[in-house]
Amino acid sequence: MKKILVVDDEENIRFLYKEELGDEGYEVVLASSGKEALELLEANKPDLITLDIKMPEMDGIETLKKIKEIDKGMPVILCTAYGQYKQDFSSWASDAYVVKSADLKELKETISKILEKTAM
Amino acid sequence: MPLDNKKSIDLLCSIIAISNSNLPLADRLNQILDILCGSLIFESVALYTLDAEKERLYLAASRNMDYLAEIKISDSFAEQALIENRHIIFDNIAAGEGLFKDTDSPRPAGKGAVFPVSDGNFSYGLMIANLPAGQSLNDSDLHIIKTISSEVAGTIRNVQLYSNAKKVVEELHLINEVSESANSSNNIDELLQLTLNKLIEWFGVRCGIINITGDNGSSERTIFLSHQSELAQDNVIQHCKECGLDIHTIEEAVLLSLTGLSESAGTCPSEAVIAAPILNGDKRIGAIILFGKRGETPFTKEDLQLLRNLTAQVAPAIENTVLLEKTKVIGREREVMVQELSMLFDLNKAIMTTIDLDRLLHIILTAVTMGDGFGFNRAILFLYNKSTGYIQGMMGVGPDSSEAAGNIWHDIHEKGKTLNDIIEDEELKQPQSQLNELAKGMRVSESEKSILQLTVKEKKAFNISDAWSDPRVNRDLLTKLNCKAFATVPLMASGRVAGIILVDNIYNNRPIDDDDIRLLTIFANQAGTAIENSILYRDIQKAHKEVKAVQNKLIHSEKLAALGEMAAGIAHEIRNPLVSIGGFARRLARHTGENDRESGYVDIICKEVERLENILNDILVFSKEASVESGQQDINSLIEETLQFFWNDFEKCGIEVEQALSPDIGYVKTNRQQLKQVFINLFANAKHAMENGGKLNVKSYPSESEDKIYVHVDITDSGEGIPLDIINNIFNPFFTTKDSGIGLGLAITHKIISSYGGEIKVMNIKDGGATFSIRMPAVNQDDLL
Ligand SMILES: Nc1ncnc2c1ncn2[C@@H]1O[C@H](COP(=O)(O)OP(=O)(O)OP(=O)(O)O)[C@@H](O)[C@H]1O
Ligand SMILES: [Mg+2]
């Protein structure tokens, strides 16, 4: 069973992702901040991380950098409420970029695509 | 035959009667001689009168014998008789050589006698006679003859006195007349003509020349009058000169008989010449020569003296007239100059204060075509574009036909419109005429062989008097202009050609002269500067408009940016709850049965959330551009802020930081976050390069090249430096030598810097370590305003 770490400061979103991705058959681990995510990364190595960009304290981009410093190969999907970061070069380091939507279809497809790739 | 008393008294009486008669002198003398012969005192008799010079004796009358016409006073008997004032008796008249004409007629025989004709004080001549054969003169005869001769002397004296007095009166009259006419005329030529005419008449000559030497300001003049039509002034002057009488150098009055003159007949009328300088005081102002005295009487010393007097009389008048003429000429020149200057001044003022280009061009062309301006019939103004090399017709002013020309000129004349009126006309814009349309359609490229390009190249005016046969003029231009003469003048502005004015006189055919060109050139220099100013002003205005537009756009986009930022903020705040609402609604929808009432409700929620999300996307797409908004960044404060961030790390590694930030560097225009990222990446690399301590040097400074101002930041570490085999790769994405590195730091840095028009370079330094140098364009100071 693939393990997905969901990093988002909004509790309802975390809950939604947990339910939806759980339904898809993933083990879902939740983190409410970048800091928590890094801690979990050491102890509970996931197969993929979804990362919200706009978070207090350490934002998604910074967290992404730190994650890549710890585990260069870790697949990361950046999730954001709007398209600004698509332009930003820092997001190159992420494996995918998904605009948040109530329809989780795009996110789910992206996850499975990346996991298929890493499995090979 | 001795005379008795009665006869003697009768004789004397009749002679006195004749002497006192009103008859002309010659008649009186003839009658007296008749009486002398008739009374049988003399067989033949002759009367000689002494000339004014007292050098010769001329035959005045004779009876019964051919006496010589002239006797020299130096003949011994004449000298004796005259000087000693006594009579001489020859025993044989035939011995009186030199008394009679050498003819075949028999010489008289008998005694001869010579009597001085004298009044006791003065001798007037001689009476020479021969006595009837065998006769001699007794004392009473001699006494009577002496009385008669003194009577004759008296007659001659009276006549001479009378004619002298008459002559003096006439001379005075002449002098008066000459000086009167001299003073009455203000025209030097007329004056000279009048004077010469009078002199020719007075002296009875055929030909005369007056020459007035010119000096600075007045030109030399020569007046030549001749009654002999075949004589030409230049020939006569030349001939006199060859004979030693140069009219230009005559210093003294002379009475000459020039030899050889008659040989070149047709050149000079006569040998008799009288000449005198015209002297005003001591100053020689000219000379006069008179030729060809009519009649047999030669010029006399009196004539010479009279000529002297006359020239002295007219000299001041001539000099005054010359002076007057000179001042008139100067005055006229001044007047013209003042007119020209004041016109140029008015025009200059008008064109220098006119900024609207169309108006300015119209004023210039109006000035060129108005009668009180330069008065050309038509004028076309071209502008020269230095960068493209094109000469473009801008405006043409002038009537379209000679008919229209007549009307316009008449109109201007009627209304008394002046150049100034037109200059002050506020409505002056592009003229409505065919010529203007024609002018605006004219365009000459640099490669075309044209008089217009020639004018630009040579920077000088061209006066084309015969356009159709002038090889410099191209046909194309000519067919358009359709004139046979025109001129082009370059419009100069600070040494460069700004354009050309082309002028012609197609309707009145007045030739364009050097003065026209000179004045037009002066004007064209001023006009060129005015045009350049006007064009500059127009360009500035255009630039100003553009700046205004950009500024408006800026204000607009700033507003948009603010709106976008707000929208983005709101979107983020709204999207998360929407994701939750919609997400759970979808979950609900999946768990409710198709036919449940609730499933309809949930569908509504899902659809509405989708609608809201779409709206959000639209807003975000709209504000996307604004979301990476740049601003003016103070690079020093950004560096300090970023260094702050690394403070702990540097301390831990034992890295010493040295800053040299110039306060004079300006701002750079970037997104602050992105620029901060640049420094974060560079400081992070520096930290990695100096894990075991070292020195970090951060330096900022301005520079200027090619009128642009730049901001520099040099970041130097004291690490190992960059191995040469990888130095070309370090800016590539994902290139890294570090286990923990992604290799994006420098790639991102490079991309950010170059996206703002900057540069980043790397250099290893000698003692180890690397320097990363950034150069970014500084914000233009003008943009800050
Ligand atoms: N100051 C420096 N001194 C020596 N080598 C340097 C320095 N800066 C960069 N490098 C070399 O250039 C490489 C690329 O640097 P870059 O910053 O792009 O990636 P990185 O530092 O390796 O990873 P990251 O993406 O975390 O920055 C580095 O791995 C390093 O080998
Ligand atoms: Mg780096």
Side-chain angles (χ1 to χ4, degrees):
Chain A
M1 200 199 268
K2 297 283 182 188
K3 195 195 280 180
I4 297 176
L5 172 60
V6 172
V7 189
D8 202 308
D9 60 329
E10 293 241 355
E11 197 188 342
N12 291 337
I13 301 277
R14 286 201 302 272
F15 180 33
L16 177 69
Y17 280 21
K18 192 179 165 73
E19 295 282 281
E20 284 284 306
L21 296 179
D23 285 0
E24 295 291 314
Y26 299 115
E27 185 192 342
V28 181
V29 183
L30 300 175
S32 64
S33 72
K35 214 177 139 217
E36 200 187 330
L38 292 176
E39 280 164 16
L40 276 171
L41 190 62
E42 307 275 310
N44 210 342
K45 194 176 183 259
D47 295 296
L48 185 143
I49 300 173
T50 71
L51 197 52
D52 183 25
I53 289 179
K54 190 135 196 262
M55 292 186 296
E57 286 172 61
M58 192 192 287
D59 71 13
I61 305 289
E62 238 171 292
T63 312
L64 171 68
K65 204 167 158 54
K66 292 266 159 70
I67 290 170
K68 292 280 180 178
E69 266 174 32
I70 294 163
D71 185 349
K72 212 171 142 185
M74 174 66 62
V76 178
I77 298 175
L78 280 173
C79 298
T80 180
Y82 55 100
Q84 180 187 3
Y85 284 92
K86 238 181 183 164
Q87 240 67 27
D88 201 322
F89 317 100
S90 303
S91 54
W92 290 354
S94 76
D95 297 84
Y97 187 93
V98 173
V99 176
K100 278 182 180 177
S101 170
D103 187 353
L104 294 185
K105 210 174 116 209
E106 193 193 346
L107 178 66
K108 285 173 192 167
E109 280 172 10
T110 310
I111 290 172
S112 67
K113 222 189 277 166
I114 290 175
L115 286 179
E116 255 172 55
K117 230 199 264 170
T118 48
M120 284 194 299
Chain B
M1 184 213 76
L3 294 167
D4 56 29
N5 270 350
K6 177 167 184 317
K7 260 194 177 165
S8 304
I9 287 164
D10 285 348
L11 190 66
L12 279 174
C13 280
S14 41
I15 283 173
I16 286 168
I18 291 166
S19 290
N20 292 329
S21 73
N22 281 333
L23 294 168
L25 180 64
D27 289 353
R28 284 187 245 173
L29 295 180
N30 277 327
Q31 285 184 17
I32 290 171
L33 294 194
D34 278 342
I35 290 169
L36 285 175
C37 289
S39 61
L40 299 177
I41 298 177
F42 301 139
E43 169 130 325
S44 72
V45 63
L47 243 174
Y48 288 89
T49 49
L50 201 56
D51 72 348
E53 279 78 40
K54 305 200 182 335
E55 278 169 0
R56 279 159 197 278
L57 290 158
Y58 292 104
L59 184 68
S62 66
R63 277 295 170 274
N64 299 343
M65 198 63 68
D66 278 339
Y67 286 88
L68 275 181
E70 190 185 322
I71 299 173
K72 279 197 207 108
I73 201 160
S74 51
D75 283 354
S76 58
F77 67 90
E79 204 168 20
Q80 273 178 33
L82 284 171
I83 291 170
E84 293 168 24
N85 196 19
R86 62 176 179 88
H87 69 273
I88 298 163
I89 304 287
F90 304 109
D91 282 339
N92 185 0
I93 185 78
E97 280 297 329
L99 270 181
F100 305 103
K101 280 189 183 164
D102 197 13
T103 55
D104 295 336
S105 57
R107 288 287 178 93
K111 289 188 172 174
V114 176
F115 300 93
V117 178
S118 163
D119 58 5
N121 293 321
F122 199 80
S123 297
Y124 295 93
L126 293 176
M127 187 157 64
I128 300 175
N130 82 303
L131 308 180
Q135 284 200 16
S136 55
L137 298 167
N138 60 19
D139 279 354
S140 94
D141 289 341
L142 286 173
H143 182 70
I144 287 171
I145 291 170
K146 263 185 199 163
T147 310
I148 290 171
S149 61
S150 74
E151 190 59 35
V152 171
T155 304
I156 293 174
R157 184 190 59 216
N158 285 345
V159 169
Q160 274 183 357
L161 274 179
Y162 175 75
S163 80
N164 275 347
K166 199 174 144 204
K167 204 171 170 195
V168 166
V169 169
E170 274 172 9
E171 274 181 21
L172 283 175
H173 195 69
L174 172 75
I175 289 173
N176 184 44
E177 231 176 283
V178 166
S179 59
E180 216 168 61
S181 68
N183 288 314
S184 72
S185 175
N186 283 339
N187 179 303
I188 182 71
D189 291 323
E190 193 184 300
L191 166 68
L192 296 177
Q193 199 101 23
L194 265 169
T195 307
L196 188 58
N197 227 336
K198 279 258 151 60
L199 295 182
I200 284 177
E201 214 176 281
W202 175 265
F203 287 103
V205 292
R206 294 190 191 89
C207 182
I209 305 174
I210 286 188
N211 171 270
I212 298 298
T213 29
D215 57 10
N216 46 345
S218 71
S219 50
E220 181 185 338
R221 281 158 213 274
T222 305
I223 300 286
F224 177 82
L225 286 179
S226 171
H227 292 290
Q228 254 168 300
S229 55
E230 73 271 16
L231 290 176
Q233 171 181 322
D234 292 346
N235 289 346
V236 172
I237 290 176
Q238 184 56 32
H239 192 94
C240 288
K241 198 173 171 184
E242 278 162 17
C243 297
L245 188 67
D246 183 355
I247 191 150
H248 298 107
T249 57
I250 294 170
E251 294 287 352
E252 253 171 62
V254 280
L255 196 163
L256 288 176
S257 188
L258 296 177
T259 51
L261 276 184
S262 49
E263 276 159 33
S264 40
T267 312
C268 216
S270 156
E271 299 175 355
V273 173
I274 187 171
I278 302 173
L279 299 170
N280 187 21
D282 289 337
K283 191 180 161 210
R284 180 186 185 281
I285 60 173
I288 184 163
I289 301 179
L290 299 173
F291 299 93
K293 193 150 168 75
R294 279 176 286 190
E296 290 314 306
T297 41
F299 287 118
T300 60
K301 282 186 179 162
E302 280 87 43
D303 288 340
L304 201 61
Q305 186 54 45
L306 179 61
L307 189 61
R308 251 188 230 123
N309 288 343
L310 283 169
T311 55
Q313 281 296 319
V314 290
I318 290 174
E319 177 116 69
N320 286 346
T321 315
V322 167
L323 273 176
L324 186 72
E325 206 108 311
K326 217 193 305 190
T327 45
K328 263 196 216 156
V329 168
I330 292 171
R332 254 199 309 273
E333 278 170 1
R334 284 273 155 77
E335 202 180 328
V336 169
M337 236 159 74
V338 165
Q339 267 175 9
E340 284 176 356
L341 278 178
S342 77
M343 180 190 74
L344 283 176
F345 177 78
D346 284 350
L347 270 180
N348 195 23
K349 205 173 77 186
I351 61 178
M352 286 307 174
T353 53
T354 305
I355 238 23
D356 179 85
L357 187 62
D358 274 354
R359 189 181 153 75
L360 175 67
L361 297 186
H362 204 164
I363 289 179
I364 289 169
L365 291 180
T366 304
V368 171
T369 50
M370 278 287 282
D372 53 345
F374 299 89
F376 291 103
N377 290 177
R378 301 192 301 179
I380 297 176
L381 197 146
F382 297 86
L383 287 185
Y384 171 63
N385 186 325
K386 208 180 71 192
S387 49
T388 64
Y390 271 106
I391 295 171
Q392 171 70 52
M394 296 300 289
M395 192 182 281
V397 166
D400 287 325
S401 66
S402 49
E403 220 170 81
N407 289 342
I408 290 171
W409 294 336
H410 178 76
D411 236 39
I412 287 173
H413 187 74
E414 284 280 281
K415 292 180 188 151
K417 257 195 171 179
T418 67
L419 182 56
N420 258 329
D421 296 341
I422 292 197
I423 288 172
E424 275 157 23
D425 180 3
E426 294 291 329
E427 297 302 303
L428 209 58
K429 287 281 178 189
Q430 279 276 351
Q432 306 280 329
S433 71
Q434 283 166 34
L435 180 66
N436 190 35
E437 294 310 312
L438 177 81
K440 288 198 287 187
M442 288 185 179
R443 185 176 166 91
V444 181
S445 77
E446 201 160 23
S447 54
E448 276 174 73
K449 205 173 153 271
S450 162
I451 185 76
L452 298 176
Q453 288 289 5
L454 201 63
T455 308
V456 167
K457 255 171 228 134
E458 309 223 327
K459 295 185 179 178
K460 64 169 201 195
F462 286 89
N463 193 351
I464 308 289
S465 52
D466 188 2
W468 290 97
S469 61
D470 199 313
R472 295 170 298 183
V473 183
N474 43 333
R475 282 293 144 117
D476 183 41
L477 180 74
L478 262 185
T479 38
K480 279 179 184 154
L481 292 175
N482 196 27
C483 61
K484 43 177 220 293
F486 66 89
T488 57
V489 175
L491 288 158
M492 301 298 293
S494 38
R496 287 180 292 107
V497 180
I500 298 168
I501 293 181
L502 184 151
V503 292
D504 69 18
N505 286 327
I506 188 171
Y507 302 123
N508 65 7
N509 286 321
R510 185 177 68 83
I512 299 170
D513 62 22
D514 289 351
D515 251 9
D516 287 331
I517 299 287
R518 179 182 60 80
L519 207 58
L520 196 57
T521 304
I522 297 176
F523 177 58
N525 283 342
Q526 299 173 342
T529 309
I531 287 173
E532 194 171 71
N533 286 345
S534 171
I535 289 176
L536 272 179
Y537 179 78
R538 195 184 58 176
D539 288 351
I540 287 172
Q541 255 191 340
K542 206 172 120 207
H544 184 71
K545 264 189 205 148
E546 277 166 10
V547 165
K548 256 267 153 58
V550 168
Q551 203 177 38
N552 283 339
K553 229 164 111 189
L554 262 179
I555 290 170
H556 183 65
S557 62
E558 242 164 58
K559 276 185 195 153
L560 278 186
L563 182 75
E565 233 161 74
M566 195 176 73
I570 291 170
H572 192 262
E573 294 310 314
I574 292 175
R575 192 185 287 270
N576 277 328
L578 271 183
V579 169
S580 313
I581 296 167
F584 285 110
R586 278 163 193 276
R587 286 187 68 74
L588 263 182
R590 261 178 261 139
H591 293 110
T592 48
E594 286 261 320
N595 300 321
D596 283 358
R597 258 192 160 198
E598 286 80 6
S599 93
Y601 304 155
V602 174
D603 276 352
I604 292 174
I605 299 175
C606 289
K607 290 236 169 66
E608 287 300 302
V609 168
E610 211 179 304
R611 193 159 73 93
L612 279 176
E613 281 191 332
N614 283 337
I615 293 173
L616 275 184
N617 285 341
D618 286 349
I619 294 175
L620 289 172
V621 167
F622 174 71
S623 64
K624 207 167 85 185
E625 254 177 277
S627 58
V628 204
E629 192 51 48
S630 308
Q632 284 158 23
Q633 310 300 346
D634 170 12
I635 223 164
N636 285 343
S637 76
L638 202 75
I639 290 170
E640 277 173 1
E641 206 180 297
T642 316
L643 277 174
Q644 209 81 44
F645 191 73
F646 277 88
W647 218 244
N648 279 334
D649 287 351
F650 287 159
E651 212 166 16
K652 247 188 258 168
C653 299
I655 297 169
E656 191 190 324
V657 179
E658 203 177 85
Q659 298 176 52
L661 305 181
S662 161
D664 297 329
I665 58 169
Y667 294 86
V668 291
K669 196 171 180 188
T670 60
N671 176 276
R672 192 168 179 85
Q673 209 49 52
Q674 286 185 339
L675 194 57
K676 200 167 171 184
Q677 191 71 53
V678 166
F679 294 119
I680 288 174
N681 291 344
L682 292 176
F683 291 153
N685 284 351
K687 186 193 83 179
H688 288 137
M690 302 185 288
E691 222 94 70
N692 301 316
K695 196 169 177 187
L696 177 72
N697 196 308
V698 186
K699 194 171 143 193
S700 72
Y701 56 94
S703 81
E704 203 183 326
S705 85
E706 285 167 9
D707 279 356
K708 287 196 184 109
I709 298 170
Y710 295 93
V711 174
H712 292 253
V713 179
D714 289 356
I715 296 168
T716 307
D717 63 60
S718 62
E720 298 286 310
I722 300 159
L724 286 177
D725 54 331
I726 65 161
I727 203 159
N728 287 328
N729 297 326
I730 59 169
F731 290 103
N732 293 338
F734 302 111
F735 176 84
T736 181
T737 56
K738 298 167 195 170
D739 295 337
S740 60
I742 311 170
L744 276 178
L746 288 179
I748 289 169
T749 299
H750 186 267
K751 188 126 198 194
I752 292 173
I753 300 280
S754 42
S755 77
Y756 292 110
E759 276 175 5
I760 178 163
K761 282 188 204 151
V762 65
M763 255 183 332
N764 278 321
I765 47 177
K766 248 202 221 146
D767 309 329
T771 298
F772 284 84
S773 296
I774 296 171
R775 189 184 82 158
M776 308 261 308
V779 178
N780 198 330
Q781 283 304 303
D782 300 341
D783 294 350
L784 285 174
L785 297 175

